[in-house]
Amino acid sequence: MSLSVKIFVALVASVVVGLIAGPNSLGFVNWWIAPIGTIFINLIKMMIVPVVFTSLVVGMTSLGDTKKLGRIGIKTVALYLFTTAIAIIIGFGVAGIGHPGVGLSLASDAAVTAKEAPSIMQVFVDMVPKNPVDSMAKAQILPIIIFALFTGVGIIKVGGERAQLLMKVFDALAEVCYKIIGIIMELAPIGVFCLLLPVVCKNGPKVLLPLLSVIACVAIGCVIHAVAVYSTLSRLWGGHSPLAFFKGVSEAMMLAFTTCSSSGTLPVTMKNCQENLGVSREVSSFVLPLGATINMDGTALYMGVCALFIANVFGIDLTMSQMGMIVLTGTLASIGTAGVPGAGFIMLAMVVQTVGLPMEGLALVAGIDRVLDMCRTCLNVTGDAAVSVVVDHTERKYQNAA
């Protein structure tokens, strides 16, 4: 039985047991069961800082010599980050219309108070850490991201054997983080059960309907992003009609949808782009593996929907500054965490913590994460292909003009 099936079974079990037990069992559940769920949430929190830092450094150093990459690297990274930011905004828009979680009100022990929105310059000032160790201790994600980016660039600038040594060290540390996350995710069925059981016992069957609204919002948002953004890219800058583009990459899309693995789909994506869409081997061999590492349009859209869902469930009004922080954090974090097993869930945990939403809301999403993962991975892979088509087409025009 796969992990996703186990988590879904845990979700169903928590609902069944919670409905049978009812509110009369809350004393026992809160005393003996809920703390286990809290431990699971703490384990996730434990890994946010190390995985973001190490994977971001690895992601930056994998770009290699920045001068050598030049034009192709800049265009590729810029397009990936741009489409990721757009995806989060679309997620907010769909969730703002669909209102997932509205009507389900859960109490939280976490005290969430609305803070006065800082000025734009203050946001930029706060992004640069005075003390990166202190930022890590306080789990301040944006300063950690900035420090990791500078560390990665610094390693590239050092070059030579020392840079190779540092790259191997950070790569090994990142692998250790991934293994630990794998261990934690193996405990996810137990954690989800222990987190959701008190919620169902207290709130009854009304907790179920909002989960369907989350699935609908993510699916609709993915379709909108694919049609609006990727069709525009393929038509205006990619040299392909939207129909030809989607037909050409359809095999990779279906494989991504069923396997939920961008990396596992990579060989098929490269084959589709080269044979069906005419992308050169030189461009596809750089853009697509990089996309599997840093491009997370589907996950970004999912973060926007789920952040609003969790806010709605706990009766919290997200301010414009908090929404902007989600867009900024999610976009920058996508550089490093795409290759992490359970990347979407880890990124969501990071964003939820960044804007001060209750981490308990993650349990509501975890039970349906497999369904959401199918949609977001399909969109991630489609975005990789769209960017490769644009980069290849613009490079051909540049070379012809030269």
Side-chain angles (χ1 to χ4, degrees), residues 4-65:
S4 58
V5 174
K6 291 179 182 178
I7 293 176
F8 182 75
V9 170
L11 169 68
V12 174
S14 66
V15 171
V16 172
V17 174
L19 292 177
I20 294 174
N24 292 331
S25 64
L26 267 178
F28 174 83
V29 169
N30 286 335
W31 184 261
W32 293 105
I33 306 298
I36 300 175
T38 303
I39 291 173
F40 174 66
I41 290 295
N42 288 345
L43 287 172
I44 294 177
K45 287 182 178 180
M46 176 181 74
M47 293 310 300
I48 290 175
V49 169
V51 78
V52 168
F53 181 71
T54 57
S55 58
L56 263 175
V57 172
V58 171
M60 286 300 297
T61 54
S62 66
L63 293 175
D65 185 355

Short mmCIF file of all heavy atoms in Angstrom, two decimals, residues 4-65:
data_model
loop_
_atom_site.label_atom_id
_atom_site.label_comp_id
_atom_site.label_asym_id
_atom_site.label_seq_id
_atom_site.Cartn_x
_atom_site.Cartn_y
_atom_site.Cartn_z
N SER A 4 0.46 7.47 -0.05
CA SER A 4 -0.72 8.31 -0.29
C SER A 4 -2.00 7.59 0.05
O SER A 4 -2.95 8.18 0.59
CB SER A 4 -0.73 8.76 -1.76
OG SER A 4 -0.74 7.65 -2.62
N VAL A 5 -2.05 6.28 -0.25
CA VAL A 5 -3.23 5.48 0.09
C VAL A 5 -3.35 5.37 1.61
O VAL A 5 -4.45 5.47 2.17
CB VAL A 5 -3.15 4.09 -0.55
CG1 VAL A 5 -4.31 3.21 -0.08
CG2 VAL A 5 -3.17 4.20 -2.07
N LYS A 6 -2.22 5.16 2.28
CA LYS A 6 -2.24 5.06 3.74
C LYS A 6 -2.76 6.36 4.37
O LYS A 6 -3.54 6.33 5.34
CB LYS A 6 -0.84 4.76 4.27
CG LYS A 6 -0.32 3.37 3.93
CD LYS A 6 1.10 3.19 4.47
CE LYS A 6 1.66 1.82 4.10
NZ LYS A 6 3.06 1.65 4.58
N ILE A 7 -2.32 7.51 3.82
CA ILE A 7 -2.77 8.80 4.36
C ILE A 7 -4.27 8.96 4.13
O ILE A 7 -5.00 9.44 5.00
CB ILE A 7 -1.99 9.96 3.71
CG1 ILE A 7 -0.52 9.91 4.14
CG2 ILE A 7 -2.59 11.31 4.11
CD1 ILE A 7 0.35 10.95 3.47
N PHE A 8 -4.73 8.55 2.94
CA PHE A 8 -6.16 8.65 2.65
C PHE A 8 -6.96 7.74 3.59
O PHE A 8 -8.03 8.12 4.08
CB PHE A 8 -6.43 8.28 1.19
CG PHE A 8 -7.88 8.40 0.81
CD1 PHE A 8 -8.47 9.64 0.60
CD2 PHE A 8 -8.66 7.26 0.67
CE1 PHE A 8 -9.80 9.75 0.26
CE2 PHE A 8 -10.00 7.36 0.33
CZ PHE A 8 -10.58 8.62 0.12
N VAL A 9 -6.45 6.53 3.83
CA VAL A 9 -7.11 5.61 4.76
C VAL A 9 -7.16 6.23 6.16
O VAL A 9 -8.18 6.13 6.86
CB VAL A 9 -6.37 4.25 4.79
CG1 VAL A 9 -6.90 3.39 5.94
CG2 VAL A 9 -6.55 3.52 3.47
N ALA A 10 -6.06 6.89 6.56
CA ALA A 10 -6.03 7.55 7.86
C ALA A 10 -7.07 8.66 7.93
O ALA A 10 -7.72 8.86 8.96
CB ALA A 10 -4.63 8.12 8.13
N LEU A 11 -7.23 9.40 6.82
CA LEU A 11 -8.25 10.45 6.76
C LEU A 11 -9.64 9.85 6.96
O LEU A 11 -10.44 10.35 7.78
CB LEU A 11 -8.17 11.16 5.41
CG LEU A 11 -9.32 12.11 5.07
CD1 LEU A 11 -9.31 13.32 5.99
CD2 LEU A 11 -9.25 12.56 3.62
N VAL A 12 -9.94 8.79 6.21
CA VAL A 12 -11.25 8.15 6.33
C VAL A 12 -11.45 7.59 7.73
O VAL A 12 -12.53 7.76 8.34
CB VAL A 12 -11.38 7.02 5.27
CG1 VAL A 12 -12.69 6.26 5.48
CG2 VAL A 12 -11.32 7.60 3.87
N ALA A 13 -10.41 6.95 8.27
CA ALA A 13 -10.52 6.37 9.61
C ALA A 13 -10.78 7.44 10.66
O ALA A 13 -11.59 7.25 11.58
CB ALA A 13 -9.24 5.60 9.95
N SER A 14 -10.09 8.58 10.53
CA SER A 14 -10.29 9.65 11.51
C SER A 14 -11.71 10.19 11.45
O SER A 14 -12.30 10.51 12.49
CB SER A 14 -9.28 10.78 11.27
OG SER A 14 -9.51 11.42 10.03
N VAL A 15 -12.26 10.26 10.23
CA VAL A 15 -13.64 10.74 10.07
C VAL A 15 -14.62 9.75 10.69
O VAL A 15 -15.52 10.12 11.46
CB VAL A 15 -13.97 10.98 8.58
CG1 VAL A 15 -15.46 11.25 8.41
CG2 VAL A 15 -13.15 12.13 8.03
N VAL A 16 -14.44 8.45 10.37
CA VAL A 16 -15.35 7.43 10.88
C VAL A 16 -15.29 7.36 12.41
O VAL A 16 -16.33 7.39 13.10
CB VAL A 16 -15.01 6.05 10.26
CG1 VAL A 16 -15.83 4.95 10.93
CG2 VAL A 16 -15.25 6.07 8.76
N VAL A 17 -14.07 7.27 12.93
CA VAL A 17 -13.91 7.17 14.39
C VAL A 17 -14.41 8.43 15.08
O VAL A 17 -15.09 8.37 16.12
CB VAL A 17 -12.43 6.91 14.75
CG1 VAL A 17 -12.24 6.96 16.27
CG2 VAL A 17 -11.97 5.57 14.21
N GLY A 18 -14.12 9.59 14.47
CA GLY A 18 -14.55 10.85 15.07
C GLY A 18 -16.06 11.00 15.10
O GLY A 18 -16.62 11.48 16.09
N LEU A 19 -16.72 10.58 14.01
CA LEU A 19 -18.19 10.67 13.98
C LEU A 19 -18.82 9.71 14.98
O LEU A 19 -19.84 10.02 15.60
CB LEU A 19 -18.70 10.36 12.57
CG LEU A 19 -18.36 11.40 11.49
CD1 LEU A 19 -18.86 10.93 10.13
CD2 LEU A 19 -18.96 12.77 11.83
N ILE A 20 -18.21 8.51 15.13
CA ILE A 20 -18.74 7.54 16.10
C ILE A 20 -18.50 8.00 17.53
O ILE A 20 -19.40 7.94 18.39
CB ILE A 20 -18.10 6.15 15.87
CG1 ILE A 20 -18.52 5.59 14.51
CG2 ILE A 20 -18.49 5.18 16.99
CD1 ILE A 20 -17.81 4.30 14.14
N ALA A 21 -17.29 8.49 17.79
CA ALA A 21 -16.94 8.90 19.15
C ALA A 21 -17.70 10.14 19.59
O ALA A 21 -18.18 10.23 20.72
CB ALA A 21 -15.44 9.14 19.24
N GLY A 22 -17.80 11.12 18.69
CA GLY A 22 -18.55 12.33 18.99
C GLY A 22 -17.88 13.23 20.01
O GLY A 22 -16.78 12.94 20.50
N PRO A 23 -18.53 14.34 20.35
CA PRO A 23 -17.93 15.32 21.26
C PRO A 23 -17.73 14.81 22.68
O PRO A 23 -16.93 15.37 23.43
CB PRO A 23 -18.93 16.49 21.22
CG PRO A 23 -20.21 15.88 20.75
CD PRO A 23 -19.84 14.76 19.83
N ASN A 24 -18.42 13.74 23.05
CA ASN A 24 -18.28 13.23 24.42
C ASN A 24 -16.88 12.67 24.68
O ASN A 24 -16.47 12.52 25.83
CB ASN A 24 -19.32 12.14 24.69
CG ASN A 24 -20.73 12.71 24.72
OD1 ASN A 24 -20.93 13.87 25.06
ND2 ASN A 24 -21.71 11.88 24.37
N SER A 25 -16.17 12.31 23.60
CA SER A 25 -14.85 11.70 23.76
C SER A 25 -13.72 12.72 23.68
O SER A 25 -12.55 12.35 23.69
CB SER A 25 -14.64 10.64 22.68
OG SER A 25 -14.64 11.24 21.39
N LEU A 26 -14.07 14.01 23.58
CA LEU A 26 -13.05 15.04 23.38
C LEU A 26 -12.00 15.07 24.49
O LEU A 26 -10.82 15.31 24.22
CB LEU A 26 -13.70 16.43 23.27
CG LEU A 26 -14.02 16.90 21.84
CD1 LEU A 26 -14.69 18.26 21.89
CD2 LEU A 26 -12.74 16.96 21.01
N GLY A 27 -12.41 14.80 25.71
CA GLY A 27 -11.45 14.82 26.82
C GLY A 27 -10.35 13.80 26.62
O GLY A 27 -9.15 14.13 26.71
N PHE A 28 -10.73 12.57 26.33
CA PHE A 28 -9.74 11.51 26.09
C PHE A 28 -8.91 11.81 24.86
O PHE A 28 -7.67 11.67 24.89
CB PHE A 28 -10.47 10.17 25.90
CG PHE A 28 -9.57 9.05 25.50
CD1 PHE A 28 -8.84 8.34 26.44
CD2 PHE A 28 -9.44 8.71 24.15
CE1 PHE A 28 -7.99 7.31 26.06
CE2 PHE A 28 -8.59 7.67 23.76
CZ PHE A 28 -7.87 6.96 24.72
N VAL A 29 -9.56 12.24 23.77
CA VAL A 29 -8.86 12.50 22.50
C VAL A 29 -7.85 13.62 22.66
O VAL A 29 -6.70 13.52 22.19
CB VAL A 29 -9.88 12.82 21.39
CG1 VAL A 29 -9.17 13.35 20.14
CG2 VAL A 29 -10.70 11.58 21.04
N ASN A 30 -8.26 14.71 23.31
CA ASN A 30 -7.35 15.85 23.48
C ASN A 30 -6.18 15.52 24.39
O ASN A 30 -5.10 16.10 24.24
CB ASN A 30 -8.12 17.06 24.04
CG ASN A 30 -9.02 17.70 22.99
OD1 ASN A 30 -8.77 17.59 21.79
ND2 ASN A 30 -10.08 18.36 23.44
N TRP A 31 -6.38 14.60 25.33
CA TRP A 31 -5.33 14.27 26.28
C TRP A 31 -4.34 13.27 25.72
O TRP A 31 -3.13 13.40 25.92
CB TRP A 31 -5.95 13.73 27.58
CG TRP A 31 -4.95 13.47 28.66
CD1 TRP A 31 -4.40 12.26 29.00
CD2 TRP A 31 -4.35 14.42 29.53
NE1 TRP A 31 -3.51 12.39 30.04
CE2 TRP A 31 -3.45 13.71 30.39
CE3 TRP A 31 -4.48 15.80 29.69
CZ2 TRP A 31 -2.70 14.35 31.37
CZ3 TRP A 31 -3.73 16.43 30.67
CH2 TRP A 31 -2.86 15.71 31.49
N TRP A 32 -4.82 12.26 24.96
CA TRP A 32 -3.97 11.16 24.54
C TRP A 32 -3.66 11.14 23.04
O TRP A 32 -2.60 10.65 22.63
CB TRP A 32 -4.62 9.81 24.92
CG TRP A 32 -4.69 9.60 26.39
CD1 TRP A 32 -5.80 9.71 27.18
CD2 TRP A 32 -3.62 9.26 27.27
NE1 TRP A 32 -5.50 9.46 28.50
CE2 TRP A 32 -4.16 9.18 28.59
CE3 TRP A 32 -2.26 9.02 27.10
CZ2 TRP A 32 -3.38 8.86 29.70
CZ3 TRP A 32 -1.48 8.70 28.20
CH2 TRP A 32 -2.04 8.62 29.49
N ILE A 33 -4.55 11.63 22.23
CA ILE A 33 -4.40 11.52 20.77
C ILE A 33 -3.81 12.79 20.15
O ILE A 33 -2.87 12.74 19.36
CB ILE A 33 -5.75 11.19 20.10
CG1 ILE A 33 -6.37 9.93 20.73
CG2 ILE A 33 -5.56 11.01 18.59
CD1 ILE A 33 -5.54 8.69 20.56
N ALA A 34 -4.38 13.95 20.51
CA ALA A 34 -3.96 15.22 19.90
C ALA A 34 -2.46 15.51 20.05
O ALA A 34 -1.84 16.01 19.12
CB ALA A 34 -4.79 16.37 20.47
N PRO A 35 -1.84 15.19 21.21
CA PRO A 35 -0.39 15.46 21.33
C PRO A 35 0.45 14.73 20.30
O PRO A 35 1.50 15.24 19.88
CB PRO A 35 -0.07 14.98 22.75
CG PRO A 35 -1.35 15.11 23.49
CD PRO A 35 -2.41 14.76 22.50
N ILE A 36 0.02 13.55 19.87
CA ILE A 36 0.77 12.82 18.83
C ILE A 36 0.73 13.60 17.52
O ILE A 36 1.73 13.69 16.80
CB ILE A 36 0.20 11.41 18.65
CG1 ILE A 36 0.29 10.63 19.97
CG2 ILE A 36 0.93 10.66 17.53
CD1 ILE A 36 -0.35 9.26 19.93
N GLY A 37 -0.42 14.19 17.22
CA GLY A 37 -0.52 15.04 16.04
C GLY A 37 0.37 16.25 16.14
O GLY A 37 0.99 16.67 15.15
N THR A 38 0.46 16.82 17.34
CA THR A 38 1.35 17.97 17.55
C THR A 38 2.81 17.59 17.32
O THR A 38 3.59 18.36 16.76
CB THR A 38 1.17 18.52 18.98
OG1 THR A 38 -0.21 18.87 19.18
CG2 THR A 38 2.03 19.75 19.20
N ILE A 39 3.18 16.39 17.76
CA ILE A 39 4.55 15.91 17.53
C ILE A 39 4.83 15.81 16.04
O ILE A 39 5.92 16.19 15.57
CB ILE A 39 4.76 14.54 18.21
CG1 ILE A 39 4.73 14.70 19.73
CG2 ILE A 39 6.08 13.90 17.76
CD1 ILE A 39 4.76 13.39 20.49
N PHE A 40 3.87 15.32 15.27
CA PHE A 40 4.04 15.22 13.81
C PHE A 40 4.25 16.59 13.18
O PHE A 40 5.13 16.79 12.34
CB PHE A 40 2.82 14.53 13.20
CG PHE A 40 2.83 14.50 11.69
CD1 PHE A 40 3.79 13.77 11.00
CD2 PHE A 40 1.89 15.21 10.97
CE1 PHE A 40 3.80 13.74 9.61
CE2 PHE A 40 1.89 15.20 9.58
CZ PHE A 40 2.85 14.46 8.90
N ILE A 41 3.45 17.57 13.61
CA ILE A 41 3.61 18.94 13.10
C ILE A 41 4.98 19.49 13.48
O ILE A 41 5.65 20.14 12.66
CB ILE A 41 2.50 19.86 13.67
CG1 ILE A 41 1.15 19.48 13.06
CG2 ILE A 41 2.81 21.32 13.39
CD1 ILE A 41 1.07 19.73 11.56
N ASN A 42 5.44 19.21 14.69
CA ASN A 42 6.77 19.67 15.11
C ASN A 42 7.88 19.04 14.28
O ASN A 42 8.90 19.68 14.00
CB ASN A 42 6.99 19.37 16.59
CG ASN A 42 6.15 20.26 17.50
OD1 ASN A 42 5.63 21.28 17.05
ND2 ASN A 42 6.01 19.87 18.75
N LEU A 43 7.71 17.78 13.90
CA LEU A 43 8.69 17.13 13.04
C LEU A 43 8.79 17.83 11.68
O LEU A 43 9.88 18.00 11.13
CB LEU A 43 8.33 15.65 12.84
CG LEU A 43 8.55 14.73 14.04
CD1 LEU A 43 7.96 13.34 13.77
CD2 LEU A 43 10.04 14.61 14.37
N ILE A 44 7.66 18.23 11.14
CA ILE A 44 7.65 18.97 9.87
C ILE A 44 8.34 20.32 10.05
O ILE A 44 9.18 20.72 9.23
CB ILE A 44 6.21 19.15 9.35
CG1 ILE A 44 5.60 17.80 8.98
CG2 ILE A 44 6.18 20.10 8.15
CD1 ILE A 44 4.17 17.87 8.54
N LYS A 45 7.99 21.02 11.12
CA LYS A 45 8.62 22.31 11.39
C LYS A 45 10.13 22.17 11.53
O LYS A 45 10.90 23.03 11.09
CB LYS A 45 8.05 22.91 12.70
CG LYS A 45 6.64 23.44 12.60
CD LYS A 45 6.23 24.03 13.95
CE LYS A 45 4.84 24.63 13.90
NZ LYS A 45 4.45 25.20 15.21
N MET A 46 10.56 21.06 12.13
CA MET A 46 11.98 20.82 12.38
C MET A 46 12.78 20.83 11.09
O MET A 46 13.94 21.26 11.07
CB MET A 46 12.13 19.46 13.09
CG MET A 46 13.56 19.01 13.33
SD MET A 46 13.63 17.38 14.13
CE MET A 46 13.18 16.32 12.74
N MET A 47 12.17 20.40 9.98
CA MET A 47 12.92 20.23 8.73
C MET A 47 12.77 21.41 7.77
O MET A 47 13.46 21.44 6.74
CB MET A 47 12.47 18.94 8.03
CG MET A 47 12.84 17.68 8.77
SD MET A 47 14.59 17.65 9.27
CE MET A 47 15.39 17.75 7.67
N ILE A 48 11.90 22.36 8.06
CA ILE A 48 11.67 23.45 7.11
C ILE A 48 12.94 24.24 6.85
O ILE A 48 13.35 24.44 5.69
CB ILE A 48 10.53 24.37 7.61
CG1 ILE A 48 9.19 23.65 7.53
CG2 ILE A 48 10.48 25.65 6.76
CD1 ILE A 48 8.04 24.44 8.10
N VAL A 49 13.59 24.70 7.90
CA VAL A 49 14.79 25.54 7.73
C VAL A 49 15.93 24.78 7.06
O VAL A 49 16.49 25.25 6.07
CB VAL A 49 15.22 26.14 9.09
CG1 VAL A 49 16.60 26.79 8.96
CG2 VAL A 49 14.20 27.16 9.56
N PRO A 50 16.33 23.59 7.56
CA PRO A 50 17.45 22.91 6.90
C PRO A 50 17.19 22.53 5.46
O PRO A 50 18.09 22.64 4.61
CB PRO A 50 17.68 21.66 7.77
CG PRO A 50 16.49 21.53 8.63
CD PRO A 50 15.91 22.88 8.78
N VAL A 51 15.97 22.11 5.13
CA VAL A 51 15.72 21.69 3.75
C VAL A 51 15.67 22.89 2.81
O VAL A 51 16.14 22.83 1.67
CB VAL A 51 14.43 20.85 3.64
CG1 VAL A 51 13.17 21.71 3.68
CG2 VAL A 51 14.44 20.03 2.36
N VAL A 52 15.11 24.01 3.27
CA VAL A 52 15.08 25.21 2.43
C VAL A 52 16.49 25.71 2.17
O VAL A 52 16.86 26.00 1.02
CB VAL A 52 14.22 26.31 3.10
CG1 VAL A 52 14.43 27.65 2.38
CG2 VAL A 52 12.75 25.94 3.05
N PHE A 53 17.31 25.78 3.21
CA PHE A 53 18.66 26.33 3.05
C PHE A 53 19.53 25.43 2.17
O PHE A 53 20.13 25.89 1.20
CB PHE A 53 19.32 26.53 4.41
CG PHE A 53 20.70 27.11 4.32
CD1 PHE A 53 20.89 28.43 3.94
CD2 PHE A 53 21.82 26.33 4.61
CE1 PHE A 53 22.17 28.96 3.84
CE2 PHE A 53 23.09 26.85 4.52
CZ PHE A 53 23.27 28.18 4.13
N THR A 54 19.61 24.14 2.52
CA THR A 54 20.51 23.26 1.77
C THR A 54 20.05 23.07 0.33
O THR A 54 20.87 23.10 -0.60
CB THR A 54 20.63 21.89 2.45
OG1 THR A 54 19.32 21.30 2.58
CG2 THR A 54 21.26 22.02 3.82
N SER A 55 18.76 22.90 0.10
CA SER A 55 18.29 22.65 -1.26
C SER A 55 18.39 23.90 -2.12
O SER A 55 18.65 23.81 -3.33
CB SER A 55 16.85 22.13 -1.25
OG SER A 55 15.99 23.03 -0.61
N LEU A 56 18.23 25.07 -1.51
CA LEU A 56 18.41 26.31 -2.28
C LEU A 56 19.86 26.49 -2.70
O LEU A 56 20.13 26.90 -3.83
CB LEU A 56 17.96 27.51 -1.43
CG LEU A 56 16.54 28.02 -1.68
CD1 LEU A 56 16.21 29.12 -0.68
CD2 LEU A 56 16.37 28.52 -3.08
N VAL A 57 20.78 26.21 -1.80
CA VAL A 57 22.20 26.31 -2.16
C VAL A 57 22.54 25.33 -3.28
O VAL A 57 23.22 25.68 -4.26
CB VAL A 57 23.10 26.04 -0.93
CG1 VAL A 57 24.57 25.96 -1.34
CG2 VAL A 57 22.91 27.13 0.12
N VAL A 58 22.03 24.11 -3.18
CA VAL A 58 22.26 23.11 -4.23
C VAL A 58 21.64 23.57 -5.55
O VAL A 58 22.24 23.43 -6.62
CB VAL A 58 21.69 21.74 -3.81
CG1 VAL A 58 21.73 20.76 -4.99
CG2 VAL A 58 22.47 21.17 -2.64
N GLY A 59 20.42 24.14 -5.45
CA GLY A 59 19.77 24.62 -6.67
C GLY A 59 20.55 25.72 -7.36
O GLY A 59 20.66 25.74 -8.60
N MET A 60 21.11 26.64 -6.57
CA MET A 60 21.89 27.73 -7.16
C MET A 60 23.20 27.23 -7.75
O MET A 60 23.58 27.59 -8.86
CB MET A 60 22.17 28.80 -6.09
CG MET A 60 20.97 29.65 -5.74
SD MET A 60 20.32 30.55 -7.15
CE MET A 60 21.70 31.60 -7.55
N THR A 61 23.91 26.37 -7.00
CA THR A 61 25.20 25.90 -7.49
C THR A 61 25.05 24.99 -8.70
O THR A 61 25.98 24.86 -9.50
CB THR A 61 25.97 25.15 -6.38
OG1 THR A 61 25.13 24.10 -5.86
CG2 THR A 61 26.35 26.09 -5.26
N SER A 62 23.88 24.36 -8.87
CA SER A 62 23.68 23.49 -10.03
C SER A 62 23.62 24.28 -11.33
O SER A 62 23.75 23.72 -12.42
CB SER A 62 22.38 22.68 -9.86
OG SER A 62 21.25 23.53 -9.88
N LEU A 63 23.42 25.61 -11.21
CA LEU A 63 23.43 26.44 -12.41
C LEU A 63 24.83 26.55 -13.01
O LEU A 63 24.98 26.87 -14.19
CB LEU A 63 22.91 27.85 -12.09
CG LEU A 63 21.44 27.96 -11.70
CD1 LEU A 63 21.11 29.38 -11.28
CD2 LEU A 63 20.54 27.54 -12.84
N GLY A 64 25.85 26.25 -12.20
CA GLY A 64 27.22 26.27 -12.71
C GLY A 64 27.75 27.68 -12.88
O GLY A 64 27.41 28.59 -12.13
N ASP A 65 28.60 27.85 -13.88
CA ASP A 65 29.23 29.14 -14.18
C ASP A 65 28.17 30.09 -14.72
O ASP A 65 27.64 29.90 -15.82
CB ASP A 65 30.35 28.94 -15.21
CG ASP A 65 31.12 30.23 -15.47
OD1 ASP A 65 30.71 31.28 -14.92
OD2 ASP A 65 32.11 30.18 -16.21
#
